Amino acid sequence: MEKKHIIVIRANTLDRETRATKIIRTLIRNGNQVSFLGWDRGIKSTRSEKNEAGCGFSEINFRFYAPWGMPSLFFLPIWWSYIFYFLMINEWDLVHAIQITTSPPAIIAGKIRGKPVVYDMLDTYEDSIIIPSWIRNLLVDINKFFLKQAAGVVLADDEQVGELNGIPNNNVITIYDSPDSTQEINFKPKINQNFTIFYAGLLYSGKYL
């Protein structure tokens, strides 16, 4: 069986990722060739060995400094132009685009080339950063347009369906953004004591969290 070349795109670097890393590992285990296309915004970070996907994998980073939060919206056209150019000049079989920060140019390139693009809506971006309501509503409309155009949609939480008042796509699946199952949790509850594990993801200023 011929290997499929799948490109995973995220507006981040891989060493800051959990979801993209798990996606890459799963795709490689199933016999695919995988490339990761990320946005290196110039923020210093240390690569961890656990994020190295191994053989059948390549990593490409767009090195262009940009802030996080609402100011990053002004830099999206540059990032989107790079994604579109990259997908138009390279060969691939499927794209897994994570977030609205990557999906529009990927879906447009997929339509032009007649290839499938999966839209992974990790966060409901419109409700995760502090922005005026009119910008939020505009982003929701844009988001739903591209959700409809995608070959399939992956959600991180079933509540996202209600948050956007429905997902306009017939191929929708929910995959929770849980921590890496190989990480050890050093906690021993007392006998008959109930406890809750809460995973908040990345917390930083500019997000409602």
Side-chain angles (χ1 to χ4, degrees):
M1 183 177 176
E2 185 179 355
K3 283 188 176 182
K4 297 290 185 182
H5 182 199
I6 300 173
I7 299 178
V8 177
I9 310 178
R10 180 81 158 106
N12 208 345
T13 51
L14 194 56
D15 55 338
R16 295 171 60 91
E17 281 296 310
T18 55
R19 191 174 184 88
T21 303
K22 290 185 288 184
I23 290 168
I24 290 168
R25 286 175 173 167
T26 301
L27 291 172
I28 290 175
R29 280 199 301 267
N30 284 275
N32 299 290
Q33 179 187 348
V34 183
S35 296
F36 174 77
L37 179 61
W39 185 359
D40 184 348
R41 307 186 190 203
I43 299 173
K44 186 177 180 181
S45 54
T46 303
R47 179 168 299 284
S48 172
E49 287 296 326
K50 69 178 182 180
N51 286 332
E52 296 294 345
C55 60
F57 170 74
S58 61
E59 180 177 354
I60 306 98
N61 283 308
F62 175 57
R63 292 180 173 84
F64 186 84
Y65 178 81
W68 298 92
M70 185 178 176
S72 68
L73 297 177
F74 298 102
F75 295 87
L76 278 181
I78 299 172
W79 165 236
W80 284 352
S81 297
Y82 179 79
I83 294 173
F84 180 78
Y85 174 76
F86 182 91
L87 295 180
M88 292 302 294
I89 66 170
N90 288 282
E91 291 301 320
W92 48 275
D93 298 296
L94 183 144
V95 163
H96 189 110
I98 304 175
Q99 290 295 75
I100 195 174
T101 50
T102 68
S103 57
I107 290 171
I108 293 172
K111 291 293 184 182
I112 293 173
R113 302 195 63 177
K115 296 184 178 182
V117 174
V118 173
Y119 181 176
D120 190 337
M121 196 167 67
L122 174 57
D123 292 318
T124 310
Y125 196 76
E126 305 88 317
D127 293 331
S128 65
I129 60 175
I130 302 172
I131 54 176
S133 59
W134 69 270
I135 296 180
R136 188 263 179 193
N137 294 334
L138 176 61
L139 288 176
V140 167
D141 291 339
I142 295 173
N143 203 356
K144 295 185 77 168
F145 173 80
F146 286 104
L147 285 166
K148 184 176 181 179
Q149 302 303 318
V153 174
V154 180
L155 304 178
D157 191 324
D158 295 325
E159 293 298 319
Q160 290 173 301
V161 177
E163 196 171 2
L164 293 184
N165 194 26
I167 304 296
N169 195 299
N170 293 325
N171 300 312
V172 181
I173 187 172
T174 299
I175 301 176
Y176 296 109
D177 189 37
S178 58
D180 191 335
S181 61
T182 61
Q183 295 179 357
E184 183 179 355
I185 300 175
N186 295 315
F187 177 76
K188 295 181 179 180
K190 296 179 180 179
I191 297 175
N192 296 326
Q193 179 185 358
N194 294 325
F195 68 97
T196 300
I197 295 177
F198 170 69
Y199 176 62
L202 292 175
L203 302 180
Y204 58 88
S205 62
K207 292 193 72 171
Y208 279 122
L209 287 173

